[in-house]
């Protein structure tokens, strides 16, 4: 290990097993700028296992103190891509990716991908499992089909179905990212520069060249205000132009959960119902069609500003559901699966309104924590079903949400969190009463 | 007129026609404390017409710079009451009064009064015509019945029907108030102390001893934040204890119009529909039942905390409608009147949603201004009907509101205001898009 005596360089003692890139590593910690070669060596050594977790944590934290320049971020992304496999398709590849952080968001891609693919655009979406949330898109898709495939399988399946929703972690795409994610979970830190690098490295490894990024903004979301969101958006965009990716970034309403379900099985049900009916909770349909519409515009399938209505039309017409069946089938699931076939955890608790009034807020953080306490995402059948959204008027006794868990202990813990956080606030017309 | 030369008292020159109370008036303008006798003389001279409008304006504005003490406010109220008639009933008199300022609020009393009266409590509500709003309770009630009666008539009618909704301005109750209101309109200033004095003087003149005060709080309402509302509430309460009135003050949700209608005829229709069905727009029903419930609690008809559900029950059961018919009849209206009998202005314009999304705000100020531009309250048939409230999800093309006016010119002016203010904001899921 490094033993530094004072500030005198001559007195520094290095252990014998130093990685070759250690000098670059040290300069990064001091906030010095590294070049493309530095990042290439550094990432190579990280993937080779030459850095331990403490060192990787230091590298991550350094990004908070000395933000990577645009150039450095570009070098880091390139280095992450170059250490892994690249899947090439010989045609433009599209994708839509949300930075997440809002409960209920994992199902959106299950609606976006078939809408886009049904117009012939190639959208082989690799998604993550939940990092800190109750459900990642891969967890939710796995309720309906297999999500773990090799790069070759993904290549062939994508060309057959035009759309996929698979787990990126099973592939050797940008393998440095797996290391970074593991350490990020341990230290609870996710520097914005590293988030941008992780997302774009995985997309480049899939040869994505037309990308829509979704940044949910709201209380209890990853990004809580528009200013931070705009900064993140500009980081994405400057890398996109550097890397030759055509990109649009949408800041989306993230003050409350998306749709009415949180947790893999519940979200899979809701996505399937929405695709089958061609309609569903307005917030969910609107979000999916907005994002799908932007991808359709990138693909020239719809003129600018008209993608949304085309996406809605594709959803309504049943074309999206037809495509989703093909995707399930190519991913070795049962295309005839019905929403009611999806098993939900047997222990249930329904929270009721204690008064007449208007739902004034639903707490993202409380819903996420409670869904995880109930068992999601490891227990796919666990989660939370919302019966109301912000702005709904309720009568005393009306159901607000139902928690699903596989054991009483988990159910009780989830209920405790919901009550402690006052997860669903119902306000009456009388705000305060004197005396 | 007063001509003051420098600061030297000896040099002041008074005109010969000075009111006897002029010395008290001058001390008030300097922020000095006046006593009960001072206010008695001052208010007496004002009612006698010895003060001109400039002087009354100065008195009103002085309340903003040198706020009346609790004692002074009590003296002012007492003086205002003593210069007018007092209607006595020989039994406890109840009332509910809103400080107003939120469009659509005038109809609430049309539901509160019959609920309360149907339990036998005496509630002879005197209300005002619109001061700055598109409808006062008296304007709205006048669509259904006569509202102008003498004090003797009101006394006898109230004892027969147990409830009334009449115009207070027709009576010689606290006549100083009429003078103050006239000048307030001219200078656009309504000092909180004077508002409290005006309301309580009129209530005392009707011998009200159990009173519920409603202070709507919200953007574009008279009171925009809870802190100001709490200060106003404490002014009401300290006067109530000084004057022997049992009072509860409710701060109520006032961020958007109440119910779905604004303007006398539209509001009379909505109140009548709600009473006939025993149900209506949730926000309206909730507000009316909350306030009626508080009055029922003051009357000992419901235990504390149970007034709301009793009021809802009275409304639902049809008892409130039955009582409202009696009230209409005693006020010489047609008790068989149906909502559809109430004539609405013939020129109409419906504003439609320009996009899918969620209604994120409805601007009180814009709705008030547009309803007045359309002709309300002088043209009782003019106004605005809302098709949505905050939190509603809408599709592109869905109707948001309809303006009613009697001429194209008025209709166009109202439309212009609605558009200029962006009165109903619909937000999509995408908050911002880059690039």
């Amino acid at each position: 290990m490094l033993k530094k005596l004072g500030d005198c360089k001559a007195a520094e003692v290095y252990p014998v097993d130093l990685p070759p890139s250690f000098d670059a590593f040290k300069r990064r910690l001091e906030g010095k700028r590294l070049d493309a070669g530095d990042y290439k060596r550094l990432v190579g050594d990280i993937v080779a296992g030459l850095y331990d977790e403490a060192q990787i944590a230091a590298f991550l934290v350094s990004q908070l103190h000395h933000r990577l320049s645009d150039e450095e971020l570009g070098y880091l992304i390139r280095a992450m891509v170059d250490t892994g496999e690249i899947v090439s398709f010989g045609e433009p590849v599209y994708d839509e990716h949300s930075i997440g952080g809002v409960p209920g968001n994992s199902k959106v891609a299950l609606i976006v991908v078939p809408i886009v693919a049904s117009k012939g655009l190639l959208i082989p979406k690799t998604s993550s499992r939940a990092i800190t949330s109750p459900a990642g898109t891969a967890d939710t898709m796995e309720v309906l089909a297999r999500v773990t495939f090799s790069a070759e399988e993904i290549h062939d399946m994508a060309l057959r179905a035009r759309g996929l929703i698979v787990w990126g972690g099973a592939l050797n795409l940008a393998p440095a990212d797996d290391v970074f994610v593991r350490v990020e979970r341990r230290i609870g830190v996710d520097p914005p520069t590293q988030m941008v690098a992780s997302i774009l490295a995985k997309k480049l490894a899939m040869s994505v060249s037309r990308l829509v990024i979704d940044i949910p903004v709201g209380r209890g979301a990853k990004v809580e205000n528009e200013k931070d969101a705009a900064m993140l958006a500009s980081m994405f965009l400057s890398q996109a132009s550097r890397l030759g990716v055509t990109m649009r970034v949408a800041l989306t309403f993230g003050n409350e959960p998306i749709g009415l379900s949180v947790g893999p099985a519940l979200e899979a049900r809701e996505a399937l119902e929405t695709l089958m009916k061609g309609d569903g909770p307005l917030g969910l349909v609107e979000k999916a069609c907005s994002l799908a519409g932007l991808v359709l515009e990138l693909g020239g399938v719809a003129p600018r500003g008209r993608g949304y209505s085309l996406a809605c039309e594709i959803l309504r017409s049943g074309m999206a559901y037809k495509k989703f069946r093909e995707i399930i089938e190519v991913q070795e699931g049962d295309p005839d699966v019905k929403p009611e076939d999806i098993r939900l955890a047997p222990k249930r608790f329904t929270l009721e309104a204690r008064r007449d009034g208007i739902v004034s807020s639903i707490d993202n953080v409380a819903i996420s924590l409670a869904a995880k306490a109930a068992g999601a995402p490891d227990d796919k059948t666990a989660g939370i079903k919302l019966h109301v959204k912000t702005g709904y008027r309720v009568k005393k006794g009306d159901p607000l949400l139902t928690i699903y868990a596989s054991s009483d202990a988990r159910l009780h813990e989830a209920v405790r969190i919901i009550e402690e956080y006052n997860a669903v606030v119902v306000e009456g017309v009388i705000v305060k009463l004197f005396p």
Side-chain angles (χ1 to χ4, degrees), chain A:
Chain A
M1 288 286 89
L2 171 62
K3 227 171 107 197
K4 195 178 173 188
L5 305 169
D7 271 324
C8 173
K9 253 180 164 339
E12 286 178 5
V13 177
Y14 296 125
V16 285
D17 59 348
L18 277 181
S21 60
F22 197 80
D23 178 59
F25 170 81
K26 268 204 59 206
R27 281 186 285 122
R28 168 89 281 270
L29 263 50
E30 289 162 1
K32 305 241 169 68
R33 298 291 176 213
L34 307 194
D35 64 20
D38 290 330
Y39 279 104
K40 204 173 166 62
R41 283 188 299 276
L42 184 56
V43 170
D45 287 352
I46 287 172
V47 171
L50 302 184
Y51 282 88
D52 63 26
E53 293 200 349
Q55 291 165 327
I56 293 166
F59 172 73
L60 291 169
V61 171
S62 82
Q63 297 185 36
L64 294 177
H65 298 191
H66 307 289
R67 170 164 287 202
L68 301 184
S69 68
D70 276 1
E71 288 75 21
E72 285 186 285
L73 184 50
Y75 300 149
L76 172 61
I77 294 169
R78 200 38 90 190
M80 288 175 70
V81 175
D82 289 347
T83 53
E85 250 176 298
I86 293 179
V87 183
S88 303
F89 291 94
E91 63 171 295
V93 178
Y94 296 80
D95 209 348
E96 176 274 322
H97 195 92
S98 177
I99 69 159
V102 174
N105 198 55
S106 84
K107 65 190 157 261
V108 174
L110 272 60
I111 302 171
V112 172
V113 169
I115 291 175
V116 172
S118 75
K119 288 311 251 187
L121 300 181
L122 185 63
I123 181 166
K125 181 172 173 61
T126 56
S127 56
S128 59
R129 294 191 185 278
I131 300 181
T132 55
S133 74
T137 292
D139 301 311
T140 299
M141 186 63 185
E142 198 169 30
V143 173
L144 302 167
R146 222 179 109 190
V147 295
T148 308
F149 297 94
S150 70
E152 295 71 32
E153 287 172 315
I154 285 179
H155 177 270
D156 297 348
M157 287 157 54
L159 289 177
R160 262 187 291 149
R162 307 300 296 168
L164 292 181
I165 301 156
V166 297
W167 178 39
L171 300 162
N172 194 31
L173 303 170
D177 189 45
D178 298 335
V179 183
F180 291 135
V181 167
R182 194 174 65 235
V183 177
E184 281 170 355
R185 282 189 203 176
R186 295 279 304 283
I187 62 175
V189 163
D190 185 8
T193 41
Q194 189 62 53
M195 177 168 69
V196 171
S198 291
I199 291 171
L200 293 183
K202 294 261 188 179
K203 297 302 166 193
L204 286 176
M206 283 296 287
S207 302
V208 170
S209 61
R210 319 275 166 94
L211 178 59
V212 171
I213 294 286
D214 164 33
I215 303 179
V217 187
R219 286 185 304 273
K222 249 183 211 166
V223 179
E224 300 223 343
N225 61 69
E226 253 187 64
K227 192 167 147 271
D228 292 351
M231 195 143 54
L232 193 58
S234 83
M235 278 171 56
F236 271 112
L237 288 166
S238 76
Q239 291 309 315
S241 70
R242 190 173 295 272
L243 300 163
V245 173
T246 308
M247 180 187 286
R248 296 193 82 188
V249 181
L251 313 193
T252 58
F253 179 81
N255 265 337
E256 61 173 349
I258 308 300
L260 294 168
S261 60
V262 177
L266 283 158
E267 293 193 48
R269 265 194 183 217
E270 190 174 25
L272 190 57
E273 275 167 11
T274 301
L275 285 160
M276 289 177 77
K277 272 197 252 168
D279 201 4
L282 273 167
L284 170 60
V285 167
E286 215 180 293
K287 176 155 189 177
C289 290
S290 296
L291 296 173
L294 291 174
V295 182
L296 293 172
E297 291 175 17
L298 282 183
V301 176
R304 197 129 168 176
R306 304 300 301 273
Y308 173 74
S309 46
L310 177 60
C312 287
E313 180 45 39
I314 294 169
L315 177 64
R316 252 196 310 273
S317 70
M319 276 172 61
Y321 174 55
K322 187 163 163 281
K323 176 54 75 179
F324 192 56
R325 290 173 53 94
E326 291 174 38
I327 293 171
I328 291 179
E329 193 155 26
V330 83
Q331 292 186 211
E332 303 175 12
D334 173 10
D336 296 325
V337 63
K338 298 282 173 296
E340 54 275 22
D341 300 335
I342 298 169
R343 205 176 67 80
L344 302 176
K347 307 286 184 182
R348 320 249 164 118
F349 172 85
T350 294
L351 180 75
E352 292 176 355
R354 292 213 177 84
R355 56 177 302 168
D356 293 8
I358 189 164
V359 177
S360 62
S361 71
I362 301 179
D363 185 334
N364 280 327
V365 172
I367 298 292
S368 276
L369 288 177
K372 289 199 285 181
D378 295 335
D379 176 357
K380 287 197 157 55
T381 67
I384 293 177
K385 191 173 169 55
L386 296 170
H387 304 292
V388 298
K389 300 295 295 270
T390 303
Y392 279 38
R393 290 207 160 264
V394 293
K395 294 269 183 193
K396 186 177 172 184
D398 280 356
L400 301 177
L401 59 80
T402 300
I403 303 170
Y404 294 75
S406 293
S407 74
D408 285 327
R410 286 197 161 276
L411 188 68
H412 291 154
E413 178 58 12
V415 171
R416 195 189 61 73
I417 289 169
I418 287 292
E419 310 237 317
E420 185 182 311
Y421 277 76
N422 196 13
V424 181
V425 179
V426 177
E427 280 184 0
V429 75
I430 295 185
V431 180
K432 209 166 227 164
L433 198 53
F434 301 91

